[in-house]
Amino acid sequence: MGVTPDAEQAVAAAVGAASTVVPVGAGTQREVGGPVPTGTEVGAPSGIVAYDPAELTVTAGAGTSVDELDAALGAHAQECVLDPRDRRATLGGLLAVGLSGPRRLRYGPLRDRVLEVRFATADGRLVRGGGPTVKNVTGFDLPRLLVGSFGTLGVLTRVILRCQPRPALSRWYRAPGEPDAVRAACLAPSTITWGPDGTRVLLEGHPDDVDAQAAAAELVALPDDGPAWPDAPHRGRVSVPPGQVRQVGAGLAALDGVVWLAEWGVGTVHVGAATEDGLAAARGVATAAGGWLLRESGAPTLDGFGVALPASEVMARVKAAFDPTGKLAPGRLPIPGAGVAAPGVVSGGRIGGPARA
Amino acid sequence: MCFPASPAEVAAAVAVAARHDRPFVARGSGTGLSGGATPVGRPVVIVTTHLNRILDVDPAARVAWVEPGVLNLDLSRSVSHLGLHYAPDPSSQAACTIGGNVATNAGGPHCLASGVTAAHVLALDVVLADGSIAQLGGLEPDQPGYDLRGCFVGSEGTMGIATRVAVRLTRDPTVVRTLLLDFTSVEAAGATVSGIIAAGIVPAALEMMDAEITRAVEDYVGAGYPRDAAAVLLVELDGLEAGVAAQVEEVRAVGREHGARSVRVAADERERALLWKGRKSAFGAIARIAPDYYLHDVVVPRTRLVEVLLEVYEIAEEQRLTMMNVFHAGDGNLHPLIVFDAREPGVWPRVTDAGDAILRACVAAGGVLSGEHGIGLEKRDAMPLVFGPDDLDAQARLRDAFDPWGRANPDKVLPRGSRCGELGVVPEGAWV
Ligand SMILES: Cc1cc2nc3c(=O)[nH]c(=O)nc-3n(C[C@H](O)[C@H](O)[C@H](O)COP(=O)(O)OP(=O)(O)OC[C@H]3O[C@@H](n4cnc5c(N)ncnc54)[C@H](O)[C@@H]3O)c2cc1C
């Protein structure tokens, strides 16, 4: 299906008509967070709509895969820093789940890539938020609202993303010392990982600068594509204030059958466990350090989030305003009262009004 | 009007407003240029200037917690000894507050590479319209649920009042080079902007000044700008030695290719500071030309920059107005500056007509209404130029979810009738 207004309208119509909507992409992140409900599966159109390298922006259907986007941008020595674990992921799925890739330390989180979104609303309309330009404060930030919303506020159909020139060189290194020493010695490392096997660093930029930084930090070049990200039947990601990562690492190291790797300076710790109990124990470590653990795969009986949502009253009102009947991806996010409009809020038909013809 | 000195006092002021069912308006330094802090409908005005403490700086985590009334430049100054700075640098940074920056999602010359305010705010304590306090975002990289922090940034006081802000601090670059390129036509300068981006360079800053403003600035500060240039580009490159050196040569080559008369690289920090002083004093400089100005803020796709700029000049000519341009060319963010004397009979309608025409030209070129100053009152009724009824409805739903009572700066950003089903829907294309 090409990315035409008709195709997007068809998505909106399907969403409007269904009683329970399950937005689907490539299925690479189905197990992240709350369980996928049963209902009408709705996908988004795929394909690149517009790409002008001189603008450093690209417009694509939300069903486009990261692989396809990479190929198009790569032909012009550009990239969009999305970095999913599985590059078959669709843009819509990736943004809806909202997980940032490992180069966040340098390039910032996933949500910073998104300039404009178009999405199908629960009542079958197409809504656009944000705008096509790289700088824009026209109206409220619907793109950021949609990133990480797990499909519970609308089904993304088309997005405009920010691109950047590809670095001349990207190279992984092993660091002999502490991750903080690397951070102090290097101006802007793209990634610093820290785990049982020590510290690894990704440097990107002008080859002479990369060499000079590596020399200054006494790094040893690695021939590979970087460290192995934890892989195990049960996976999750810990999110803690960056200063707590060492504590989390120590806690995880004490667990049997648990593998882990932290993004230093970010506060993300990737965890894999041989058993579901192992992942539950890792969650305990995260909580003790003032953070939380998101289930990414496996661990079917574990709660997806394991924490109550912050500012949950506001979140419940947001949910009720966009999806008053709770038909969009129910259960994917633990919104209190989702499915029933918060009492006393949806008053006078001002929000959550009926579908327009 | 009140001047709370603690978050609790902000909450108390909001609660008083709630009890009397009166709107409230947050105000920082009042430097906003879209009327966001303008009181409408006898509101309680809550001024944050007494909430001006830097609460905590964590150099290892590169995070600072500040109160909303802290001035932007004071924050950067207070962490400079650590080799850190707060990246968003609005030209008003000596006067505007972090709270105002958060509410307008402020930008600045150096936001081209490093991103605007939204990319630098990690967490916020906000007082909601019922007087309750909520924390949005956090220091951990991800929070479960919706990105309410992201929604609040840029909400222009319509979703509540920020009382504490955690911002990301940025490490000072190792090497900085500032270039001044001098052109005999704005077309050549514009083509150079596109050429630089197309060459795979995203400078730290890429600013353009046209003939009139360059002369005005030179007369005012004597920064060494060419008084006879049709346009100049101020390009800043930062990072590490080899990359910056290579980019300096590439920018020089792109400039020459497009007919730059000269390319000057600031020899030292003093010269660099002087070049920037020129750029940042533009608004002071024009005070010597005429007593009043109306500064616009629109964004166009960067490849359409020259075309829209030429239209802006035509509009000025049609309305017989002096129009100067000093702007963030690298991200297509135009700032047409109409300079006039309000005492001149009949000038005001020409000024506002020119403003309308600029907005329309920009939207026709695929642009947006504002890149950094916000919508506020000024552009509220122009919102239907870029958003359809369903788009505005969705924004209204988001706003109302934060403030179902409609008390937080209620008359700003969204035109009346934005909510579907609300009476008096603004006809498409109609405004002002
Ligand atoms: C000469 C000059 C140059 C400028 N250059 C730039 C520039 O380069 N880039 C740029 O982005 N802007 C620029 N501006 C515009 C202005 O400085 C910014 O919009 C700034 O962010 C406003 O900060 P303030 O403290 O003055 O806020 P105010 O003007 O007091 O308020 C602005 C808005 O923020 C809201 N607000 C204020 N504090 C809070 C709070 N704590 N919580 C919630 N809402 C709040 C107000 O209700 C209002 O809607 C310039 C202005 C001038 C006069």
Side-chain angles (χ1 to χ4, degrees):
Chain A
M1 188 166 42
V3 192
T4 60
D6 281 353
E8 291 184 77
Q9 287 296 349
V11 173
V15 172
S19 58
T20 301
V21 178
V22 183
V24 289
T28 63
Q29 300 189 93
R30 276 181 78 84
E31 295 176 13
V32 181
V36 175
T38 50
T40 308
E41 298 201 342
V42 179
S46 92
I48 293 181
V49 181
Y51 171 45
D52 181 351
E55 287 294 344
L56 288 176
T57 63
V58 61
T59 307
T64 311
S65 73
V66 172
D67 261 335
E68 186 182 342
L69 187 74
D70 275 350
L73 303 184
H76 294 272
Q78 292 186 358
E79 63 176 344
C80 176
V81 181
L82 301 170
D83 297 348
R85 196 181 167 96
D86 183 337
R87 302 188 93 84
R88 288 170 303 178
T90 63
L91 302 178
L94 195 66
L95 296 176
V97 171
L99 297 180
S100 302
R103 289 188 291 167
R104 179 175 183 163
L105 179 65
R106 175 159 181 180
Y107 301 115
L110 185 68
R111 56 178 184 252
D112 290 357
R113 301 287 100 74
V114 190
L115 301 171
E116 182 183 289
V117 291
R118 277 224 298 243
F119 60 97
T121 61
D123 53 9
R125 293 173 291 149
L126 264 188
V127 161
R128 187 171 61 83
T133 55
V134 290
K135 199 171 180 190
N136 179 19
V137 295
T138 312
F140 301 131
D141 201 335
L142 293 180
R144 279 196 168 78
L145 178 65
L146 269 287
V147 174
S149 66
F150 279 84
T152 63
L153 300 176
V155 179
L156 291 166
T157 59
R158 206 188 84 153
V159 296
I160 302 183
L161 304 174
R162 181 194 295 278
C163 316
Q164 63 189 44
R166 278 208 174 154
L169 177 69
S170 299
R171 189 184 285 147
W172 278 96
Y173 294 86
R174 183 169 54 76
E178 287 294 311
D180 270 336
V182 176
R183 218 176 165 208
C186 299
L187 177 63
S190 297
T191 313
I192 302 174
T193 66
W194 178 71
D197 292 336
T199 305
R200 301 268 189 283
V201 189
L202 175 64
L203 296 182
E204 298 187 305
H206 190 285
D208 293 350
D209 290 332
V210 169
D211 286 345
Q213 296 258 288
E218 299 178 343
L219 306 178
V220 182
L222 296 171
D224 51 35
D225 293 338
W229 300 96
D231 203 3
H234 310 280
R235 284 194 297 109
R237 100 164 35 194
V238 171
S239 200
V240 286
Q244 299 297 100
V245 163
R246 197 173 284 283
Q247 178 186 335
V248 171
L252 294 175
L255 300 178
D256 274 342
V258 168
V259 287
W260 59 277
L261 191 66
E263 293 178 36
W264 194 262
V266 172
T268 299
V269 185
H270 304 269
V271 181
T275 64
E276 187 156 3
D277 285 350
L279 198 62
R283 174 170 282 170
V285 169
T287 311
W292 61 292
L293 179 144
L294 173 72
R295 186 256 321 278
E296 283 193 271
S297 72
T301 66
L302 202 66
D303 184 81
F305 295 85
V307 278
L309 300 187
S312 61
E313 274 182 40
V314 182
M315 287 198 198
R317 292 200 296 254
V318 171
K319 172 67 175 172
F322 283 82
D323 180 20
T325 63
K327 65 190 264 189
L328 299 178
R332 286 290 263 158
L333 269 182
I335 309 285
V340 271
V345 170
V346 188
S347 59
R350 293 208 320 153
I351 49 179
R356 288 152 43 88
Chain B
M1 184 177 289
C2 57
F3 295 81
S6 68
E9 287 185 13
V10 174
V14 168
V16 168
R19 205 153 48 239
H20 297 274
D21 200 21
R22 287 267 288 273
F24 62 88
V25 177
R27 186 183 176 91
S29 296
T31 67
L33 292 169
S34 59
T38 305
V40 176
R42 297 183 6 97
V44 177
V45 178
I46 300 173
V47 187
T48 63
T49 49
H50 289 190
L51 289 160
N52 60 355
R53 289 175 306 161
I54 294 170
L55 301 168
D56 183 50
V57 175
D58 182 343
R62 297 182 194 161
V63 172
W65 276 101
V66 303
E67 290 187 326
V70 168
L71 300 186
N72 176 302
L73 191 58
D74 286 350
L75 173 58
S76 273
R77 283 204 177 124
S78 76
V79 295
S80 65
H81 66 285
L82 301 167
L84 300 171
H85 64 282
Y86 176 62
D89 61 337
S91 304
S92 52
Q93 69 183 140
C96 62
T97 65
I98 296 294
N101 292 172
V102 166
T104 55
N105 195 6
H110 287 87
C111 292
L112 177 57
S114 68
V116 296
T117 302
H120 300 273
V121 173
L122 300 171
L124 296 156
D125 282 354
V126 302
V127 173
L128 299 171
D130 60 351
S132 65
I133 297 184
Q135 184 178 321
L136 314 180
L139 299 188
E140 61 277 27
D142 298 303
Q143 291 81 37
Y146 305 133
D147 181 14
L148 300 181
R149 172 209 60 86
C151 297
F152 190 93
V153 175
S155 63
E156 303 191 37
T158 66
M159 295 181 185
I161 302 186
T163 53
R164 228 163 57 106
V165 188
V167 297
R168 200 158 69 86
L169 301 173
T170 303
R171 182 161 164 179
D172 297 343
T174 310
V175 179
V176 184
R177 292 272 182 283
T178 306
L179 288 75
L180 184 73
L181 291 81
D182 157 14
F183 296 90
T184 52
S185 75
V186 290
E187 288 92 330
T192 302
V193 172
S194 301
I196 291 171
I197 304 286
I201 300 171
V202 180
L206 176 43
E207 302 283 304
M208 183 161 156
M209 294 164 68
D210 70 6
E212 295 238 33
I213 195 78
T214 304
R215 257 197 313 276
V217 162
E218 186 52 25
D219 292 346
Y220 185 57
V221 289
Y225 287 8
R227 291 188 79 263
D228 59 343
V232 300
L233 291 179
L234 193 60
V235 186
E236 188 150 283
L237 301 161
D238 72 15
L240 293 159
E241 197 65 64
V244 171
Q247 290 184 346
V248 166
E249 288 321 307
E250 279 181 81
V251 168
R252 196 194 293 274
V254 172
R256 292 272 187 225
E257 196 183 306
H258 292 101
R261 273 196 310 193
S262 70
V263 179
R264 187 171 123 203
V265 184
D268 52 27
E269 185 52 37
R270 196 198 58 84
E271 193 179 345
R272 177 179 165 259
L274 196 57
L275 289 177
W276 274 111
K277 187 175 172 203
R279 164 64 183 89
K280 295 206 173 183
S281 334
F283 300 104
I286 53 128
R288 291 158 46 122
I289 297 172
D292 301 288
Y293 70 81
Y294 186 6
L295 176 60
H296 279 271
D297 164 47
V298 289
V299 192
V300 295
R302 34 193 157 199
T303 48
R304 316 267 317 249
L305 202 63
V306 170
E307 170 195 334
V308 177
L309 196 55
L310 295 178
E311 265 188 82
V312 165
Y313 289 125
E314 269 171 40
I315 292 165
E317 202 161 310
E318 262 164 44
Q319 300 292 349
R320 292 169 286 119
L321 291 165
T322 304
M323 190 102 68
M324 305 184 171
N325 286 279
V326 42
F327 61 97
H328 315 304
D331 37 30
N333 190 181
L334 286 168
H335 281 326
L337 180 63
I338 305 173
V339 185
F340 63 102
D341 184 342
R343 291 165 303 187
E344 184 192 326
V347 72
W348 219 181
R350 294 191 344 250
V351 169
T352 51
D353 284 356
D356 298 1
I358 289 169
L359 276 190
R360 288 177 188 279
C362 161
V363 171
V368 297
L369 300 179
S370 174
E372 52 183 27
H373 295 169
I375 299 300
L377 274 179
E378 184 203 14
K379 291 177 176 166
R380 182 190 65 188
D381 295 334
M383 287 284 273
L385 284 179
V386 287
F387 290 118
D390 288 336
D391 309 332
L392 290 173
D393 172 64
Q395 293 188 33
R397 288 174 191 233
L398 173 60
R399 188 227 167 273
D400 287 359
F402 273 85
D403 171 21
W405 311 275
R407 281 196 289 263
N409 213 4
D411 294 303
K412 312 296 165 61
V413 185
L414 295 178
R416 236 170 246 284
S418 291
R419 291 158 194 89
C420 286
E422 203 178 67
L423 291 175
V425 172
V426 175
E428 205 157 354
W431 73 293
V432 177

